[in-house]
């Protein structure tokens, strides 16, 4: 938050120096002298892959192909990367030594950057790049229009820059054999550089008198004082100053003793038009006709060196404004002093007003500023509901600008802030002593804060900060780090660092957290109570390095203080994230084969893991054997050791309980599958296949007797079967129904089936479960039959038609020869490897009915034919009625856990100021409330506040969360961001 607010001060509070960046809107074009060509040598063999939001394609009148990409343009060609906000591409087909290639010119517009394979970077407001490639041109855009945009502003600028380059002297060829002529045409653009505009100073008033005070020539201006600097046509530099009275300091060395006679105490009333929006023609107002002829636009700038204004002072540039009772401006030194300043500007990307009040603002130079006793807010009130304050702020503006002062790049700079506070109704509620670093439009020091109450943690305060900015350091390219500072009243203080990094050759992350925990975990009757020690935390590092010749190296290291830490403090990662491991993994992929070697070691003793020291795997995918068969192969050999959690209790009855007591085992295993695609029988595709698997171990599980050594064991497995499917569709463009919102109908039907059988000499219970998919396969047979259907229509209206799935109805059934009938299994079929399936007979259905774009019914369920009951079932109805209300209702049933929940929720906008939400789930089987969540959002002038109450009986927890955020900028808010979207939309998934 500090960084964004300080950026706003640089962009709005000191408006008389430079205008703010207008991100998201068209900016004035950069000086074409800044457009530089970047021309790589030779012709590449790589494809040129282009991405963006919207693409126009057409053929120009001279026969060239043109593609215009708007929004987030990125182009990759091997190790070369181009990026900019927008781009225009001209390309044509050519040949070199009889081999066809594509010759391209790419105009990069706004925030342009070119990264060469060797790491060389070139950037600027605009670049012109020449590329040649023997590869293909691949365009991937979110939207595409096959139409011309030659009248667009972007294409006009691109064509203008291209013409300027073409006017440069023709380059001399490097050699007769060179396929590419490499030369720089920047000199051609330099010839068209615009001269620096004259910043003329004009003034008018109801009364003008001249005096000499202490040897200084001054003009006293009273009533309707108007002073301007620059020309109105130069919007980036044109400044207007208004006040009730002013003193203008004149340059004695330019005017000598002539000034007293020029004005002579006689007043002049200016025309209203000159004081409103344009500089007064001619020189300063005066009586003498002789002196009038001596003042032109060039001489006019020399008369006034500084001005002091007082009484309802207004400084304006465009729609940005500063009000103050007193202001002093030194035109020669670009220095200023503004007392009791109030500024207003509009953040353009969200149309959000920003108000800045400061006891004193000093402009130290054209790019340096200092503000004392400052506060900024989105509220126009003198005492705003919420504001950010600081005793002193130093800013240095590094935003790139052209000769006219217009922004031509990303707003950037450096700052220092002292004694920063978050103020609520004028009362400080949060404090940070010092912050320093760099800022730009996409970075900020303060990132988020969350304040609330939780039954396990007490009152909570969780804050996130940009680590590099707080330390005053410039982050390396591609690196980002977040400092986490937390406090829990029932637990204690906590600190952590989350870091992510990415470069051309590598990427990775670091997650650390430490807490001095004086509380107690509540994770169920068997795992509740105080932790083993108060010092708890985690450290996880993951790194992937791209090596030469298609090799990849992955390194991971993970330490966790205790078995309950991740579930207690990182529940989402514990439930859904990757397992915490310490490993080194080397991989090479090429064509349709890959080789990998894995070396890992368990350091968290409370986790059950298999160590590989190492394990080597070679895979071959889809290798054709003539025109008869296709081979799929996977072979592994290595050393493995099974490390179970010593606290587990094993009864020897279930598959997962066969832990074995072996040490390091030498393991070899190979799986070979031959598929025999048959010629199509009409729409039917059939693929018979054979699978064979052989494995050997130099030691096997010893069972319950630790003295029993089983010795080496072998496993032989074989399977055979056939897979088949067909695809049929039919469309009827005559279907039209306003009631059902149908505008044509297309029916897609895809039946599929599989039948197989398997045989093996060893059951999974007889083997140590080193790896899933290797030791746990079973020799059962079975078959599946599926019918998948789509009814599609068009919706959206003329010019916006899109295809949507109106009705989806899928049915799949599975039947197995050796069906498991345990209470904790539901059938699941894996097409690629049937032996990995769960052999429990089932019938699964999935139904979706999209009644309209804002109303949908969804159902999915699995029927367990072994037990004759519904294994699980879910049905829900979701309705959105913008802008006032949205709601959903549903029912979920899980047989194995005897869980039957009914629930629903709604979002409702009571008025422009009040929005409420409810989420409620009720446990039918237990006859009690399962969870409840209440949300209330209140809109204030330019701010929002929210309170959320969460009662979760499933984990016996109660939570209260508070949030506050400025209008249009929820990411700058304090508290949970979960429901900030409800301020703009009551949709079930707020935008």
């Amino acid at each position: 938050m500090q960084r964004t607010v300080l950026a706003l001060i640089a962009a709005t509070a000191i408006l008389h120096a430079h205008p703010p960046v207008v991100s998201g809107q068209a900016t004035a074009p950069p000086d074409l002298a800044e457009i530089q060509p970047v021309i790589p040598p030779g012709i590449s063999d790589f494809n040129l892959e282009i991405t963006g939001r919207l693409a126009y394609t057409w053929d120009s009148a001279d026969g060239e192909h043109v593609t215009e990409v708007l929004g987030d343009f990125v182009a990759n060609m091997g190790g070369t990367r181009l990026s900019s906000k927008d781009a225009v591409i001209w390309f044509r087909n050519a040949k070199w030594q009889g081999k066809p290639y594509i010759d391209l010119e790419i105009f990069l517009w706004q925030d342009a950057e070119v990264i060469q394979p060797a790491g060389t970077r070139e950037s600027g407001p605009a670049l012109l790049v020449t590329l040649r490639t023997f590869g293909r041109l691949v365009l991937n855009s979110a939207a595409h229009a096959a139409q011309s945009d030659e009248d667009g502003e972007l294409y006009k600028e691109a064509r203008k820059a291209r013409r300027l380059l073409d006017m440069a002297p023709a380059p001399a060829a490097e050699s007769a054999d060179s396929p590419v002529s490499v030369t720089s045409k920047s000199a051609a653009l330099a010839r068209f550089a615009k001269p620096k505009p004259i910043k003329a100073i004009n003034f008018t008033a109801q009364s003008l008198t001249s005096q000499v005070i202490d040897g200084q020539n001054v003009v006293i201006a009273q009533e309707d004082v108007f002073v301007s600097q620059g020309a109105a046509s130069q919007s980036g530099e044109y400044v207007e100053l208004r006040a009730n009275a002013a003193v203008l300091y004149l340059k004695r060395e330019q005017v000598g003793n002539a000034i007293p006679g020029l004005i002579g105490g006689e007043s002049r009333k200016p025309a209203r038009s000159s004081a409103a929006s344009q500089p007064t023609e001619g020189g300063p107002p005066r009586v003498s006709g002789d002196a009038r002829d001596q003042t032109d636009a060039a001489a006019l700038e020399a008369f006034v060196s500084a001005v002091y204004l007082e009484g309802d002072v207004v400084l304006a540039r465009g729609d940005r404004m500063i009000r103050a009772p007193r202001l002093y401006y030194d035109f020669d030194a670009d220095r200023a002093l503004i007392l009791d300043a109030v500024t207003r500007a509009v953040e353009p990307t969200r149309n959000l007003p920003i108000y800045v009040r400061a006891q004193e603002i000093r402009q130290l130079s054209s790019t340096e500023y200092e503000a004392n006793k400052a506060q900024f807010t989105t509220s126009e009130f003198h005492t705003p509901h919420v504001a950010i304050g600081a005793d002193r702020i130093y800013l240095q503006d590094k935003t790139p600008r052209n000769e006219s002062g217009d922004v031509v790049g990303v707003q950037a700079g450096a700052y220092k802030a002292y004694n920063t506070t978050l103020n609520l109704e004028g009362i400080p509620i949060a404090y940070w002593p010092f912050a320093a670093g760099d800022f730009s439009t996409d970075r900020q020091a303060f990132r988020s804060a969350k304040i609330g109450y939780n039954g396990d943690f007490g009152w909570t305060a969780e804050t996130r900060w940009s680590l590099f900015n707080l330390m005053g350091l410039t982050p390396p390219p591609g690196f980002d780090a977040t400092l986490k500072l937390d406090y829990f009243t029932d637990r204690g203080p906590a600190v952590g660092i989350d870091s992510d990094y990415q470069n051309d050759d590598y990427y990775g992350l670091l997650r650390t957290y430490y807490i001095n925990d004086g509380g107690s975990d509540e994770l169920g009757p068997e795992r509740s109570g105080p932790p083993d020690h108060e010092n708890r935390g985690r450290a996880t590092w993951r790194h992937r390095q791209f090596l030469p010749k298609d090799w990849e190296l992955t390194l991971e290291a993970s330490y966790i203080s205790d078995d309950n830490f991740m579930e207690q403090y990182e529940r989402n990662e514990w439930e859904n994230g990757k397992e915490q491991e310490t490993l080194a993994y080397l991989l090479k992929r090429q064509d349709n084969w890959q080789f990998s070697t894995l070396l890992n070691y368990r350091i968290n003793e409370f986790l059950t893991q298999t160590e590989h020291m190492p394990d080597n795997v070679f895979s071959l995918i889809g290798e054709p054997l003539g025109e008869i068969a296709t081979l799929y192969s996977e072979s592994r050999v290595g050393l493995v050791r099974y490390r179970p959690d010593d606290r587990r209790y094993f009864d020897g009855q279930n598959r997962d309980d066969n832990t074995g007591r072996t040490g390091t085992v030498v393991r070899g295993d190979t799986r070979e599958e031959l598929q025999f695609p048959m010629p199509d029988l009409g729409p039917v595709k059939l693929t018979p296949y054979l699978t064979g698997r052989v494995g050997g171990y130099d030691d096997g599980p010893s069972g319950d007797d630790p003295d029993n050594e089983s010795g080496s064991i072998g496993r032989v497995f074989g399977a055979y079967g056939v897979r088949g499917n067909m695809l049929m569709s039919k469309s009827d463009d005559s279907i039209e129904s306003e009631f059902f919102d149908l505008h044509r109908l297309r029916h897609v039907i895809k039946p599929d089936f599989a039948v197989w059988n398997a045989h093996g000499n060893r059951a999974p219970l007889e083997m140590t479960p080193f790896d899933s998919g290797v030791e746990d396969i079973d020799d059962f047979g079975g078959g599946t039959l599926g019918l998948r259907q789509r009814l599609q229509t068009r919706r959206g209206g003329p010019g916006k038609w899109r295809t949507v799935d109106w009705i989806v109805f899928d049915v799949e059934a599975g039947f197995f020869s050796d069906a498991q009938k345990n209470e904790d299994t539901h059938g699941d079929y894996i097409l690629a490897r049937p032996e990995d399936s769960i052999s429990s007979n089932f019938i699964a259905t999935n139904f979706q009915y999209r009644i309209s774009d804002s109303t949908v019914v969804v159902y999915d369920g699995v029927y367990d034919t072994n037990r004759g009951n519904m294994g699980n079932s879910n049905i829900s109805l979701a309705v959105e009625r913008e802008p006032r209300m949205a709601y959903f209702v549903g029912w979920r049933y899980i047989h194995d856990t005897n869980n039957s929940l009914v629930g629903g929720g709604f979002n409702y906008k009571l008025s422009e100021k009040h929005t409420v939400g409810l989420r409620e789930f009720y446990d039918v089987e237990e006859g009690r409330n399962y969870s409840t969540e209440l949300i209330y959002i209140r809109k204030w002038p330019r701010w929002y506040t929210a309170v959320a109450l969460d009662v979760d009986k499933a984990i016996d927890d109660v939570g209260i969360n508070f949030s506050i955020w400025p209008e249009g900028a929820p990411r700058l808010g304090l508290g949970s961001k979960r429901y900030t979207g409800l301020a703009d939309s009551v949709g079930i998934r707020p935008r």
Side-chain angles (χ1 to χ4, degrees):
M1 182 180 293
Q2 288 176 340
R3 172 161 292 178
T4 297
V5 174
L6 297 175
L8 289 172
I9 287 183
T12 61
I14 319 297
L15 300 175
H16 49 278
H18 293 295
V21 66
V22 187
S23 56
Q25 297 182 1
T27 60
D31 190 341
L32 289 177
E34 300 181 26
I35 304 177
Q36 302 292 328
V38 182
I39 306 178
I43 304 179
S44 172
D45 289 323
F46 293 100
N47 294 336
L48 179 63
E49 298 183 3
I50 297 171
T51 60
R53 294 185 180 179
L54 173 62
Y56 291 96
T57 57
W58 73 92
D59 291 336
S60 63
D62 54 5
E64 286 186 305
H65 306 294
V66 184
T67 297
E68 181 181 271
V69 181
L70 304 178
D72 299 334
F73 172 81
V74 175
N76 290 288
M77 188 179 72
T80 302
R81 176 183 172 88
L82 289 65
S83 63
S84 61
K85 182 181 178 182
D86 306 313
V88 175
I89 306 163
W90 298 273
F91 62 96
R92 61 183 180 85
N93 296 319
K95 288 186 178 182
W96 180 71
Q97 295 184 353
K99 186 176 181 180
Y101 69 92
I102 304 176
D103 190 354
L104 304 100
E105 282 187 88
I106 305 178
F107 176 71
L108 305 176
W109 177 244
Q110 298 192 34
D111 302 333
E113 183 179 56
V114 177
I115 303 176
Q116 301 283 12
T120 304
R121 294 172 180 261
E122 187 158 357
S123 61
L127 296 173
L128 192 65
V129 183
T130 300
L131 297 176
R132 297 173 177 87
T133 177
F134 290 119
R136 296 183 298 112
L137 180 62
V138 181
L139 174 63
N140 297 304
S141 61
H144 173 258
Q147 64 184 57
S148 172
D149 192 39
E150 291 185 348
D151 295 330
E153 293 299 323
L154 171 61
Y155 189 74
K156 291 179 180 178
E157 293 296 333
R159 190 167 52 186
K160 181 179 179 181
R162 196 185 188 199
R163 283 201 305 266
L164 290 178
L165 290 178
D166 290 341
M167 295 174 65
E174 293 184 352
S175 68
D177 298 329
S178 175
V180 177
S181 175
V182 182
T183 191
S184 173
K185 299 181 182 179
S186 57
L189 296 177
R191 291 164 42 205
F192 293 88
K194 298 178 182 178
K196 183 177 180 180
I198 296 175
K199 292 190 273 187
I201 300 171
N202 298 274
F203 58 90
T204 63
Q206 294 283 358
S207 174
L208 293 168
T209 59
S210 65
Q211 298 183 23
V212 178
I213 302 177
D214 295 333
Q216 170 73 56
N217 293 306
V218 299
V219 173
I220 308 298
Q222 296 180 334
E223 299 185 34
D224 293 337
V225 177
F226 173 79
V227 181
S228 69
Q229 181 188 34
S233 60
Q234 299 168 342
S235 59
E237 289 293 304
Y238 184 57
V239 178
E240 295 181 344
L241 295 162
R242 303 171 187 271
N244 293 332
V247 177
L248 295 102
Y249 298 88
L250 308 180
K251 300 179 181 180
R252 179 184 181 91
E253 60 274 17
Q254 260 79 22
V255 299
N257 296 319
I259 286 298
L262 298 182
I263 299 177
E266 189 171 331
S267 64
R268 172 181 175 179
K269 185 176 182 178
R272 286 291 178 185
S273 60
S274 66
S277 60
Q278 59 186 13
T280 305
E281 298 293 337
R286 36 169 273 265
V287 177
S288 170
D290 296 334
R292 180 187 301 272
D293 299 332
Q294 301 172 9
T295 58
D296 57 18
L300 191 62
E301 183 183 12
F303 275 110
V304 180
S305 63
V307 62
Y308 169 78
L309 303 101
E310 130 176 324
D312 195 20
V313 180
V314 177
L315 184 154
R317 176 179 280 130
D319 61 352
R320 298 171 295 279
M321 183 188 309
I322 294 179
R323 291 186 179 274
R326 293 169 293 170
L327 184 152
Y328 175 80
Y329 200 108
D330 187 333
F331 294 110
D332 290 341
D334 279 329
R335 297 170 67 91
L337 173 63
I338 310 172
L339 302 178
D340 297 325
V342 179
T343 75
R344 180 188 185 278
V346 176
E347 201 286 315
T349 60
R350 302 179 181 90
N351 197 29
L352 184 71
I354 303 295
Y355 295 89
V356 180
R357 293 176 172 84
Q359 190 176 94
E360 177 183 279
I361 298 178
R362 293 179 179 270
Q363 178 178 325
L364 307 178
S365 69
S366 61
T367 59
E368 294 180 285
Y369 319 96
E370 186 177 80
N372 295 319
K373 302 298 181 183
Q375 70 171 359
F376 35 94
T377 177
T378 58
S379 172
E380 61 270 27
F381 297 145
H382 181 270
T383 302
H385 295 292
V386 180
I388 301 296
D391 281 351
R392 183 163 64 93
I393 299 174
Y394 168 82
L395 298 159
Q396 183 180 11
D397 186 8
K398 298 180 180 179
T399 303
R401 307 174 190 274
N402 60 17
E403 293 293 336
S404 298
D406 296 320
V407 175
V408 294
V410 174
Q411 179 181 313
Y415 75 91
K416 295 179 181 178
Y418 302 84
N419 299 321
T420 303
T421 58
L422 171 65
N423 304 323
L424 184 62
E425 297 290 350
I427 301 175
I429 63 172
Y431 171 80
W432 190 259
F434 174 75
D438 292 337
F439 66 83
S440 68
T441 55
D442 58 350
R443 296 210 311 269
Q444 54 185 355
F446 176 82
R447 292 188 168 172
S448 69
K450 183 178 179 180
I451 301 173
Y453 176 82
N454 182 277
D456 287 347
F457 297 91
W459 290 98
T460 65
E462 303 170 72
T463 63
R464 303 294 180 264
W465 306 82
S466 172
L467 181 62
F468 288 107
N469 290 351
L470 289 177
M471 297 178 65
L473 301 175
T474 300
F479 279 71
D480 186 36
T482 299
L483 173 66
K484 301 192 289 188
L485 297 176
D486 303 337
Y487 185 78
F488 310 101
T489 58
D490 290 352
R491 297 284 187 161
V495 62
I497 294 176
D498 286 356
S499 178
D500 295 272
Y501 56 90
Q502 182 173 0
N503 210 318
D504 294 339
D505 298 328
Y506 60 84
Y507 66 90
L509 60 83
L510 175 68
R511 300 288 184 264
T512 65
Y513 199 76
Y514 166 78
I515 181 169
N516 184 258
D517 194 342
S520 178
D521 293 339
E522 299 294 336
L523 300 172
E526 300 296 330
R527 296 182 297 134
S528 296
D532 295 337
H533 45 80
E534 293 184 350
N535 297 313
R536 308 179 71 185
R538 59 88 60 97
T540 300
W541 174 61
R542 293 171 183 160
H543 176 89
R544 178 160 293 174
Q545 183 81 38
F546 298 102
L547 304 174
K549 299 183 179 180
D550 299 322
W551 285 94
E552 295 179 13
L553 176 64
T554 300
L555 301 173
E556 295 187 21
S558 179
Y559 167 78
I560 309 172
S561 61
D562 56 87
D563 56 324
N564 292 338
F565 175 82
M566 293 298 293
E567 185 176 1
Q568 186 71 57
Y569 288 92
E570 303 288 349
R571 178 175 291 271
N572 182 61
E573 184 178 353
W574 180 77
E575 292 177 343
N576 305 305
K578 184 184 180 299
E579 186 177 16
Q580 304 296 315
E581 296 181 278
T582 298
L583 60 83
Y585 181 68
L586 187 63
L587 170 69
K588 179 181 177 67
R589 291 191 183 99
Q590 187 171 323
D591 299 327
N592 65 334
W593 64 268
Q594 73 174 35
F595 170 79
S596 66
T597 182
L598 171 64
L599 176 66
N600 69 317
Y601 183 80
R602 188 190 71 169
I603 63 174
N604 300 305
E605 296 182 354
F606 43 81
L607 298 179
T608 298
Q609 292 179 341
T610 296
E611 296 176 344
H612 304 78
M613 302 178 291
D615 191 37
N616 307 290
V617 181
F618 178 82
S619 300
L620 188 62
I621 302 174
E623 177 67 19
L625 302 179
E627 299 181 358
I628 300 176
T630 303
L631 173 64
Y632 294 80
S633 175
E634 180 182 283
S635 301
R636 65 181 68 231
V637 62
L639 302 175
V640 291
R641 181 170 63 173
Y642 188 69
R643 301 291 302 278
D645 176 5
D646 293 337
R647 301 167 307 160
R648 292 178 58 186
Y649 173 76
F650 308 107
D651 59 10
Q653 300 298 318
N654 298 322
R655 175 200 301 256
D656 293 337
D657 292 335
N658 181 17
T659 61
R661 288 180 173 81
T662 58
T664 302
V665 175
V666 178
R667 178 183 66 178
D669 182 83
T670 181
R671 181 186 188 276
E672 311 295 328
E673 179 176 320
L674 287 174
Q675 296 184 4
F676 304 92
M678 297 180 62
D680 294 347
L681 303 176
V684 180
K685 298 180 182 295
L686 296 176
T687 304
Y689 65 92
L690 293 173
T691 300
R693 188 161 198 164
V694 177
Y697 305 76
D698 74 337
D699 195 7
S702 57
D704 295 332
D705 184 0
D707 297 327
N708 178 23
E709 297 183 1
S710 61
S712 60
I713 64 172
R715 194 262 314 271
V716 178
F717 176 87
Y720 48 90
V722 60
R723 306 181 185 105
N725 66 75
M726 59 188 302
L727 180 64
M728 300 175 291
S729 66
K730 185 176 181 179
S731 300
D732 189 343
D733 294 338
S734 66
I735 299 294
E736 191 74 26
S737 173
E738 293 296 330
F739 181 80
F740 290 104
D741 198 8
L742 297 179
H743 310 280
R744 104 171 184 181
L745 195 63
R746 181 171 183 253
H747 189 190
V748 181
I749 304 176
K750 183 184 178 183
D752 57 64
F753 74 93
V755 179
W756 82 97
N757 198 14
H759 306 277
N761 69 330
R762 194 173 294 274
L765 289 173
E766 302 174 23
M767 307 184 69
T768 303
F770 294 114
D771 290 296
S772 177
V774 180
E775 282 76 27
D776 60 352
I777 63 172
D778 214 342
D779 58 347
F780 55 86
T784 63
L785 181 64
L787 180 64
R788 311 177 200 282
Q789 299 185 81
R790 300 284 189 278
L791 287 173
Q792 298 178 329
T793 188
R794 294 193 309 164
R795 287 177 177 169
K800 300 179 180 179
W801 290 117
R802 66 190 187 283
T803 300
V804 298
D805 290 335
W806 176 44
I807 295 177
V808 176
F809 186 38
D810 297 341
V811 180
E812 183 179 25
F815 304 95
F816 303 90
S817 61
D818 184 17
Q820 299 180 28
K821 299 182 180 180
N822 297 331
E823 289 294 313
D824 58 353
T825 60
H826 293 297
D828 183 32
Y829 171 68
I830 299 176
L831 178 66
R833 296 193 177 190
E835 63 267 27
D836 292 341
S837 303
I838 298 176
S839 57
S840 181
N841 299 334
F842 70 93
I843 299 176
T845 57
N846 175 46
F847 175 78
Q848 175 182 304
Y849 177 25
R850 186 169 294 279
I851 301 172
S852 69
D853 287 346
S854 59
T855 305
V856 61
V857 177
V858 177
Y859 170 80
D860 65 85
V862 177
Y863 181 79
D864 192 325
T865 61
N866 288 345
R867 292 173 285 174
N869 58 47
M870 291 299 301
N872 58 69
S873 185
N874 300 276
I875 185 170
S876 61
L877 167 68
V879 179
E880 293 186 352
R881 295 292 182 264
E882 294 276 16
R884 301 282 292 182
M885 182 176 65
Y887 62 90
F888 71 94
V889 292
W891 171 65
R892 182 182 68 188
Y893 173 77
I894 302 176
H895 180 272
D896 291 339
T897 59
N898 199 29
N899 182 278
S900 181
L901 291 180
V902 294
F906 67 85
N907 304 322
Y908 186 70
K909 180 173 286 190
L910 298 172
S911 67
E912 288 301 316
K913 292 184 178 181
H914 307 278
T915 301
V916 295
L918 171 68
R919 310 288 185 269
E920 170 64 32
F921 292 93
Y922 184 81
D923 193 326
V924 177
E925 296 294 336
E926 296 291 333
R928 64 180 177 87
N929 180 58
Y930 186 81
S931 67
T932 302
E933 190 169 14
L934 295 171
I935 308 103
Y936 170 67
I937 297 177
R938 171 68 158 90
K939 181 180 180 181
W940 306 92
R942 304 299 180 184
W943 286 86
Y944 289 92
T945 57
V947 180
L949 171 65
D950 185 7
V951 180
D952 193 337
K953 290 295 184 180
I955 56 176
D956 196 21
D957 192 17
V958 176
I960 302 175
N961 288 303
F962 304 95
S963 302
I964 182 169
W965 67 94
E967 180 181 3
R971 67 186 182 88
L972 303 182
L974 300 177
S976 172
K977 308 297 190 298
R978 184 175 180 184
Y979 294 110
T980 55
L982 287 177
D984 302 316
S985 168
V986 297
I988 295 174
R989 295 183 178 179
R991 291 179 287 275

